[in-house]
Amino acid sequence: VSYQFDVVTIFGPLMTGYLGGSILGRAANAGRISVRYENPRDHTHDVHKSVDDGTYGGGAGMLMTPGPLGDAIDAVRARQPDTRVVLLGPAGRRFDQQIAEEYAQCGALTLVCGRYEGVDERIAAHAVDEELSVGDFVITGGELAAMTVIDAVSRLLPGVLGHADAAVGESFTDLPLLEQPQYTRPRQWRGHGVPDVLLSGNHGAVDAWRLEQRIARTKARRPDLYAKYLAQISAKESDKA
Ligand SMILES: C[S@@+](CC[C@H](N)C(=O)[O-])C[C@H]1O[C@@H](n2cnc3c(N)ncnc32)[C@H](O)[C@@H]1O
């Protein structure tokens, strides 16, 4: 069965190159994912096909009007009634691996991309299921954010990554921890070697080193994530007791 992505965007062609290549392109060719585009301009009724207008109350810049955007969302919902509709925007819930896993269970996801200075608030309030941010920064449009979500969700779907457990033990996946440092050939590069334990052939020692590294790195770089990890292990301990 294929996972259905729909993207509401006035710039679909910006996305097709990325989504058509490499692992995601292969997943699409194999019928594991499908990406369709719905252009709000196709839901305009004026000769200029306009999708934006000035802001009530004044202020610089244009906003996407709710008319064509709302009609484009309706068109997607009509052909894919089970889809979860997500508006991309900096004011949304912050995207992370857990949300990617949640979306991977959905079967169909619609990503609504803003442009200009954003989108009339009535879309967020009345036309979508939720609003999602990819981080605390502002980009020029929702397309890059939508591609980020499509990519993160797709690689969790069965059969998308070549190796069955390639997504196991990665950052955030099994535990709220960053991934450990990894090394490949050559053994010496510009005078820098690789940790001896990785060359020891002792799998138990390698696994212990990896977990140790994940914990140390997370503690040093991401205190927020480390706190989550500590909470998770203390919850597990009290389950056992
Ligand atoms: C220039 S941004 C609008 C920013 C808006 N005026 C604000 O200050 O929050 C245009 C569009 O890009 C997308 N976008 C920008 N930053 C984003 C982010 N961090 N996460 C998700 N989408 C984002 C949204 O779809 C948004 O409607």
Side-chain angles (χ1 to χ4, degrees):
V1 274
S2 180
Y3 191 105
Q4 185 64 55
F5 292 103
D6 283 278
V7 187
V8 176
T9 171
I10 58 172
F11 288 122
L14 289 183
M15 302 176 64
T16 52
Y18 183 78
L19 296 178
S22 189
I23 291 174
L24 300 183
R26 229 179 301 139
N29 288 335
R32 305 221 184 257
I33 64 169
S34 157
V35 186
R36 291 184 299 215
Y37 300 91
E38 189 69 35
N39 190 341
R41 284 201 203 283
D42 296 338
H43 297 270
T44 55
H45 307 287
D46 63 312
V47 45
H48 302 293
K49 297 186 177 300
S50 61
V51 294
D52 62 311
D53 208 330
T55 311
Y56 277 129
M62 307 296 273
L63 285 183
M64 291 191 85
T65 56
L69 199 52
D71 290 352
I73 294 167
D74 286 351
V76 173
R77 286 197 197 270
R79 65 167 181 257
Q80 192 71 42
D82 61 332
T83 196
R84 177 144 166 194
V85 182
V86 175
L87 173 68
L88 282 322
R93 166 160 86 125
R94 184 107 64 87
F95 189 55
D96 61 16
Q97 191 68 19
Q98 212 176 319
I99 298 176
E101 280 161 17
E102 187 186 313
Y103 288 168
Q105 305 299 319
C106 284
L109 189 68
T110 298
L111 299 155
V112 180
C113 303
R115 277 271 152 183
Y116 313 103
E117 281 313 305
V119 172
D120 185 290
E121 184 61 23
R122 290 167 290 181
I123 289 292
H126 306 294
V128 302
D129 299 316
E130 66 176 305
E131 197 168 350
L132 187 78
S133 166
V134 293
D136 290 344
F137 46 81
V138 179
I139 51 182
T140 55
E143 290 74 14
L144 198 50
M147 289 193 287
T148 303
V149 174
I150 292 172
D151 190 315
V153 171
S154 295
R155 63 197 297 289
L156 296 174
L157 301 174
V160 169
L161 293 184
H163 188 250
D165 53 8
V168 174
E170 284 191 315
S171 298
F172 322 113
T173 306
D174 49 349
L175 293 165
L177 290 173
L178 302 176
E179 192 171 63
Q180 75 281 355
Q182 305 197 93
Y183 301 87
T184 181
R185 273 171 273 278
R187 268 173 83 152
Q188 286 291 328
W189 178 76
R190 298 186 180 173
H192 305 290
V194 310
D196 287 335
V197 61
L198 298 178
L199 308 170
S200 69
N202 179 341
H203 296 299
V206 169
D207 286 347
W209 179 86
R210 286 183 172 156
L211 181 60
E212 210 176 278
Q213 291 288 315
R214 294 184 69 181
I215 294 169
R217 194 172 244 212
T218 306
K219 189 174 176 187
R221 298 185 184 185
R222 289 288 306 276
D224 58 319
L225 209 54
Y226 183 64
K228 214 164 140 185
Y229 169 69
L230 291 182
Q232 188 166 315
I233 50 178
S234 73
K236 273 202 190 119
E237 288 303 311
S238 53
D239 278 354
K240 271 188 239 155

PDB file of all heavy atoms in Angstrom, residues 163-186:
ATOM      1  N   HIS A 163      17.979  -1.162   3.721  1.00  0.00           N
ATOM      2  CA  HIS A 163      18.288  -2.087   4.784  1.00  0.00           C
ATOM      3  C   HIS A 163      17.196  -2.028   5.836  1.00  0.00           C
ATOM      4  O   HIS A 163      16.833  -0.952   6.296  1.00  0.00           O
ATOM      5  CB  HIS A 163      19.656  -1.696   5.386  1.00  0.00           C
ATOM      6  CG  HIS A 163      20.176  -2.684   6.356  1.00  0.00           C
ATOM      7  ND1 HIS A 163      20.252  -2.432   7.697  1.00  0.00           N
ATOM      8  CD2 HIS A 163      20.649  -3.931   6.171  1.00  0.00           C
ATOM      9  CE1 HIS A 163      20.755  -3.493   8.300  1.00  0.00           C
ATOM     10  NE2 HIS A 163      21.007  -4.412   7.394  1.00  0.00           N
ATOM     11  N   ALA A 164      16.652  -3.198   6.190  1.00  0.00           N
ATOM     12  CA  ALA A 164      15.440  -3.239   7.023  1.00  0.00           C
ATOM     13  C   ALA A 164      15.541  -2.393   8.289  1.00  0.00           C
ATOM     14  O   ALA A 164      14.579  -1.742   8.673  1.00  0.00           O
ATOM     15  CB  ALA A 164      15.111  -4.671   7.378  1.00  0.00           C
ATOM     16  N   ASP A 165      16.716  -2.384   8.934  1.00  0.00           N
ATOM     17  CA  ASP A 165      16.772  -1.639  10.184  1.00  0.00           C
ATOM     18  C   ASP A 165      17.686  -0.414  10.098  1.00  0.00           C
ATOM     19  O   ASP A 165      18.292  -0.007  11.068  1.00  0.00           O
ATOM     20  CB  ASP A 165      17.147  -2.545  11.361  1.00  0.00           C
ATOM     21  CG  ASP A 165      18.423  -3.327  11.105  1.00  0.00           C
ATOM     22  OD1 ASP A 165      19.072  -3.040  10.093  1.00  0.00           O
ATOM     23  OD2 ASP A 165      18.745  -4.192  11.912  1.00  0.00           O
ATOM     24  N   ALA A 166      17.762   0.182   8.933  1.00  0.00           N
ATOM     25  CA  ALA A 166      18.638   1.342   8.765  1.00  0.00           C
ATOM     26  C   ALA A 166      18.198   2.533   9.615  1.00  0.00           C
ATOM     27  O   ALA A 166      18.990   3.412   9.909  1.00  0.00           O
ATOM     28  CB  ALA A 166      18.714   1.734   7.295  1.00  0.00           C
ATOM     29  N   ALA A 167      16.918   2.568  10.011  1.00  0.00           N
ATOM     30  CA  ALA A 167      16.454   3.686  10.837  1.00  0.00           C
ATOM     31  C   ALA A 167      16.514   3.355  12.327  1.00  0.00           C
ATOM     32  O   ALA A 167      16.069   4.124  13.157  1.00  0.00           O
ATOM     33  CB  ALA A 167      15.037   4.090  10.436  1.00  0.00           C
ATOM     34  N   VAL A 168      17.087   2.219  12.667  1.00  0.00           N
ATOM     35  CA  VAL A 168      17.185   1.818  14.071  1.00  0.00           C
ATOM     36  C   VAL A 168      18.490   2.344  14.664  1.00  0.00           C
ATOM     37  O   VAL A 168      19.534   2.289  14.031  1.00  0.00           O
ATOM     38  CB  VAL A 168      17.116   0.277  14.200  1.00  0.00           C
ATOM     39  CG1 VAL A 168      17.359  -0.160  15.634  1.00  0.00           C
ATOM     40  CG2 VAL A 168      15.771  -0.226  13.701  1.00  0.00           C
ATOM     41  N   GLY A 169      18.431   2.865  15.882  1.00  0.00           N
ATOM     42  CA  GLY A 169      19.643   3.333  16.548  1.00  0.00           C
ATOM     43  C   GLY A 169      20.126   4.681  16.050  1.00  0.00           C
ATOM     44  O   GLY A 169      21.196   5.140  16.407  1.00  0.00           O
ATOM     45  N   GLU A 170      19.340   5.344  15.216  1.00  0.00           N
ATOM     46  CA  GLU A 170      19.707   6.688  14.781  1.00  0.00           C
ATOM     47  C   GLU A 170      19.334   7.689  15.865  1.00  0.00           C
ATOM     48  O   GLU A 170      18.600   7.363  16.797  1.00  0.00           O
ATOM     49  CB  GLU A 170      18.905   7.050  13.527  1.00  0.00           C
ATOM     50  CG  GLU A 170      19.406   6.378  12.279  1.00  0.00           C
ATOM     51  CD  GLU A 170      18.736   6.983  11.072  1.00  0.00           C
ATOM     52  OE1 GLU A 170      17.514   7.176  11.116  1.00  0.00           O
ATOM     53  OE2 GLU A 170      19.452   7.284  10.103  1.00  0.00           O
ATOM     54  N   SER A 171      19.786   8.911  15.683  1.00  0.00           N
ATOM     55  CA  SER A 171      19.391   9.976  16.595  1.00  0.00           C
ATOM     56  C   SER A 171      17.870   9.963  16.769  1.00  0.00           C
ATOM     57  O   SER A 171      17.139   9.805  15.786  1.00  0.00           O
ATOM     58  CB  SER A 171      19.786  11.333  16.016  1.00  0.00           C
ATOM     59  OG  SER A 171      21.181  11.418  15.875  1.00  0.00           O
ATOM     60  N   PHE A 172      17.425  10.118  17.998  1.00  0.00           N
ATOM     61  CA  PHE A 172      16.006  10.286  18.389  1.00  0.00           C
ATOM     62  C   PHE A 172      15.153   9.032  18.228  1.00  0.00           C
ATOM     63  O   PHE A 172      14.023   9.007  18.656  1.00  0.00           O
ATOM     64  CB  PHE A 172      15.305  11.402  17.586  1.00  0.00           C
ATOM     65  CG  PHE A 172      16.148  12.586  17.323  1.00  0.00           C
ATOM     66  CD1 PHE A 172      16.553  12.898  16.035  1.00  0.00           C
ATOM     67  CD2 PHE A 172      16.577  13.383  18.369  1.00  0.00           C
ATOM     68  CE1 PHE A 172      17.344  13.997  15.791  1.00  0.00           C
ATOM     69  CE2 PHE A 172      17.368  14.487  18.132  1.00  0.00           C
ATOM     70  CZ  PHE A 172      17.751  14.795  16.833  1.00  0.00           C
ATOM     71  N   THR A 173      15.663   7.978  17.543  1.00  0.00           N
ATOM     72  CA  THR A 173      14.760   6.914  17.129  1.00  0.00           C
ATOM     73  C   THR A 173      14.390   5.964  18.255  1.00  0.00           C
ATOM     74  O   THR A 173      13.225   5.854  18.613  1.00  0.00           O
ATOM     75  CB  THR A 173      15.354   6.141  15.944  1.00  0.00           C
ATOM     76  OG1 THR A 173      15.665   7.093  14.941  1.00  0.00           O
ATOM     77  CG2 THR A 173      14.364   5.149  15.387  1.00  0.00           C
ATOM     78  N   ASP A 174      15.367   5.263  18.834  1.00  0.00           N
ATOM     79  CA  ASP A 174      15.019   4.294  19.868  1.00  0.00           C
ATOM     80  C   ASP A 174      14.970   4.949  21.249  1.00  0.00           C
ATOM     81  O   ASP A 174      14.154   4.609  22.088  1.00  0.00           O
ATOM     82  CB  ASP A 174      16.006   3.117  19.851  1.00  0.00           C
ATOM     83  CG  ASP A 174      17.457   3.581  19.840  1.00  0.00           C
ATOM     84  OD1 ASP A 174      17.697   4.786  19.644  1.00  0.00           O
ATOM     85  OD2 ASP A 174      18.346   2.749  20.046  1.00  0.00           O
ATOM     86  N   LEU A 175      15.858   5.906  21.471  1.00  0.00           N
ATOM     87  CA  LEU A 175      15.934   6.635  22.742  1.00  0.00           C
ATOM     88  C   LEU A 175      16.033   8.119  22.399  1.00  0.00           C
ATOM     89  O   LEU A 175      16.505   8.462  21.325  1.00  0.00           O
ATOM     90  CB  LEU A 175      17.211   6.236  23.498  1.00  0.00           C
ATOM     91  CG  LEU A 175      17.296   4.804  24.023  1.00  0.00           C
ATOM     92  CD1 LEU A 175      18.723   4.454  24.400  1.00  0.00           C
ATOM     93  CD2 LEU A 175      16.362   4.631  25.211  1.00  0.00           C
ATOM     94  N   PRO A 176      15.631   9.005  23.332  1.00  0.00           N
ATOM     95  CA  PRO A 176      15.801  10.436  23.049  1.00  0.00           C
ATOM     96  C   PRO A 176      17.269  10.843  23.187  1.00  0.00           C
ATOM     97  O   PRO A 176      17.637  11.600  24.077  1.00  0.00           O
ATOM     98  CB  PRO A 176      14.899  11.107  24.079  1.00  0.00           C
ATOM     99  CG  PRO A 176      14.744  10.124  25.168  1.00  0.00           C
ATOM    100  CD  PRO A 176      14.954   8.753  24.596  1.00  0.00           C
ATOM    101  N   LEU A 177      18.099  10.317  22.302  1.00  0.00           N
ATOM    102  CA  LEU A 177      19.535  10.591  22.331  1.00  0.00           C
ATOM    103  C   LEU A 177      20.035  10.882  20.919  1.00  0.00           C
ATOM    104  O   LEU A 177      19.497  10.347  19.951  1.00  0.00           O
ATOM    105  CB  LEU A 177      20.296   9.366  22.855  1.00  0.00           C
ATOM    106  CG  LEU A 177      20.136   9.006  24.332  1.00  0.00           C
ATOM    107  CD1 LEU A 177      20.821   7.668  24.617  1.00  0.00           C
ATOM    108  CD2 LEU A 177      20.693  10.106  25.228  1.00  0.00           C
ATOM    109  N   LEU A 178      21.078  11.691  20.827  1.00  0.00           N
ATOM    110  CA  LEU A 178      21.747  11.886  19.546  1.00  0.00           C
ATOM    111  C   LEU A 178      22.504  10.607  19.188  1.00  0.00           C
ATOM    112  O   LEU A 178      22.794   9.788  20.052  1.00  0.00           O
ATOM    113  CB  LEU A 178      22.735  13.051  19.640  1.00  0.00           C
ATOM    114  CG  LEU A 178      22.144  14.398  20.063  1.00  0.00           C
ATOM    115  CD1 LEU A 178      23.248  15.433  20.216  1.00  0.00           C
ATOM    116  CD2 LEU A 178      21.101  14.869  19.055  1.00  0.00           C
ATOM    117  N   GLU A 179      22.836  10.492  17.920  1.00  0.00           N
ATOM    118  CA  GLU A 179      23.620   9.340  17.493  1.00  0.00           C
ATOM    119  C   GLU A 179      25.071   9.504  17.945  1.00  0.00           C
ATOM    120  O   GLU A 179      25.564  10.629  18.090  1.00  0.00           O
ATOM    121  CB  GLU A 179      23.567   9.225  15.965  1.00  0.00           C
ATOM    122  CG  GLU A 179      24.105   7.914  15.436  1.00  0.00           C
ATOM    123  CD  GLU A 179      23.826   7.765  13.945  1.00  0.00           C
ATOM    124  OE1 GLU A 179      24.356   8.581  13.170  1.00  0.00           O
ATOM    125  OE2 GLU A 179      23.088   6.859  13.565  1.00  0.00           O
ATOM    126  N   GLN A 180      25.766   8.377  18.136  1.00  0.00           N
ATOM    127  CA  GLN A 180      27.187   8.413  18.497  1.00  0.00           C
ATOM    128  C   GLN A 180      28.008   8.818  17.267  1.00  0.00           C
ATOM    129  O   GLN A 180      27.541   8.710  16.151  1.00  0.00           O
ATOM    130  CB  GLN A 180      27.642   7.036  18.997  1.00  0.00           C
ATOM    131  CG  GLN A 180      27.834   5.979  17.917  1.00  0.00           C
ATOM    132  CD  GLN A 180      26.533   5.351  17.441  1.00  0.00           C
ATOM    133  OE1 GLN A 180      25.459   5.614  17.961  1.00  0.00           O
ATOM    134  NE2 GLN A 180      26.624   4.504  16.426  1.00  0.00           N
ATOM    135  N   PRO A 181      29.272   9.263  17.473  1.00  0.00           N
ATOM    136  CA  PRO A 181      30.139   9.527  16.321  1.00  0.00           C
ATOM    137  C   PRO A 181      30.380   8.234  15.542  1.00  0.00           C
ATOM    138  O   PRO A 181      30.440   7.159  16.144  1.00  0.00           O
ATOM    139  CB  PRO A 181      31.453  10.025  16.944  1.00  0.00           C
ATOM    140  CG  PRO A 181      31.251  10.079  18.412  1.00  0.00           C
ATOM    141  CD  PRO A 181      29.931   9.516  18.758  1.00  0.00           C
ATOM    142  N   GLN A 182      30.482   8.352  14.229  1.00  0.00           N
ATOM    143  CA  GLN A 182      30.701   7.166  13.388  1.00  0.00           C
ATOM    144  C   GLN A 182      31.923   7.390  12.508  1.00  0.00           C
ATOM    145  O   GLN A 182      32.245   8.524  12.166  1.00  0.00           O
ATOM    146  CB  GLN A 182      29.485   6.926  12.515  1.00  0.00           C
ATOM    147  CG  GLN A 182      28.204   6.802  13.317  1.00  0.00           C
ATOM    148  CD  GLN A 182      27.095   6.173  12.513  1.00  0.00           C
ATOM    149  OE1 GLN A 182      26.890   4.983  12.547  1.00  0.00           O
ATOM    150  NE2 GLN A 182      26.388   7.007  11.765  1.00  0.00           N
ATOM    151  N   TYR A 183      32.574   6.309  12.135  1.00  0.00           N
ATOM    152  CA  TYR A 183      33.807   6.386  11.344  1.00  0.00           C
ATOM    153  C   TYR A 183      33.788   5.358  10.223  1.00  0.00           C
ATOM    154  O   TYR A 183      33.203   4.293  10.359  1.00  0.00           O
ATOM    155  CB  TYR A 183      35.027   6.104  12.243  1.00  0.00           C
ATOM    156  CG  TYR A 183      35.137   7.077  13.398  1.00  0.00           C
ATOM    157  CD1 TYR A 183      34.464   6.833  14.591  1.00  0.00           C
ATOM    158  CD2 TYR A 183      35.876   8.250  13.282  1.00  0.00           C
ATOM    159  CE1 TYR A 183      34.532   7.726  15.650  1.00  0.00           C
ATOM    160  CE2 TYR A 183      35.956   9.151  14.337  1.00  0.00           C
ATOM    161  CZ  TYR A 183      35.277   8.883  15.523  1.00  0.00           C
ATOM    162  OH  TYR A 183      35.351   9.773  16.568  1.00  0.00           O
ATOM    163  N   THR A 184      34.473   5.705   9.128  1.00  0.00           N
ATOM    164  CA  THR A 184      34.672   4.741   8.045  1.00  0.00           C
ATOM    165  C   THR A 184      36.132   4.822   7.593  1.00  0.00           C
ATOM    166  O   THR A 184      36.944   5.507   8.225  1.00  0.00           O
ATOM    167  CB  THR A 184      33.664   4.978   6.895  1.00  0.00           C
ATOM    168  OG1 THR A 184      33.888   4.005   5.874  1.00  0.00           O
ATOM    169  CG2 THR A 184      33.778   6.367   6.305  1.00  0.00           C
ATOM    170  N   ARG A 185      36.503   4.113   6.517  1.00  0.00           N
ATOM    171  CA  ARG A 185      37.895   4.145   6.046  1.00  0.00           C
ATOM    172  C   ARG A 185      38.288   5.529   5.550  1.00  0.00           C
ATOM    173  O   ARG A 185      37.400   6.257   5.098  1.00  0.00           O
ATOM    174  CB  ARG A 185      38.066   3.122   4.928  1.00  0.00           C
ATOM    175  CG  ARG A 185      38.415   1.735   5.481  1.00  0.00           C
ATOM    176  CD  ARG A 185      38.364   0.700   4.401  1.00  0.00           C
ATOM    177  NE  ARG A 185      37.013   0.168   4.249  1.00  0.00           N
ATOM    178  CZ  ARG A 185      36.500  -0.798   5.015  1.00  0.00           C
ATOM    179  NH1 ARG A 185      37.216  -1.360   5.960  1.00  0.00           N
ATOM    180  NH2 ARG A 185      35.266  -1.211   4.840  1.00  0.00           N
ATOM    181  N   PRO A 186      39.522   5.925   5.582  1.00  0.00           N
ATOM    182  CA  PRO A 186      40.694   5.165   6.046  1.00  0.00           C
ATOM    183  C   PRO A 186      40.887   5.210   7.566  1.00  0.00           C
ATOM    184  O   PRO A 186      40.321   6.086   8.235  1.00  0.00           O
ATOM    185  CB  PRO A 186      41.852   5.890   5.349  1.00  0.00           C
ATOM    186  CG  PRO A 186      41.389   7.307   5.288  1.00  0.00           C
ATOM    187  CD  PRO A 186      39.904   7.246   5.039  1.00  0.00           C
TER     188      PRO A 186
END
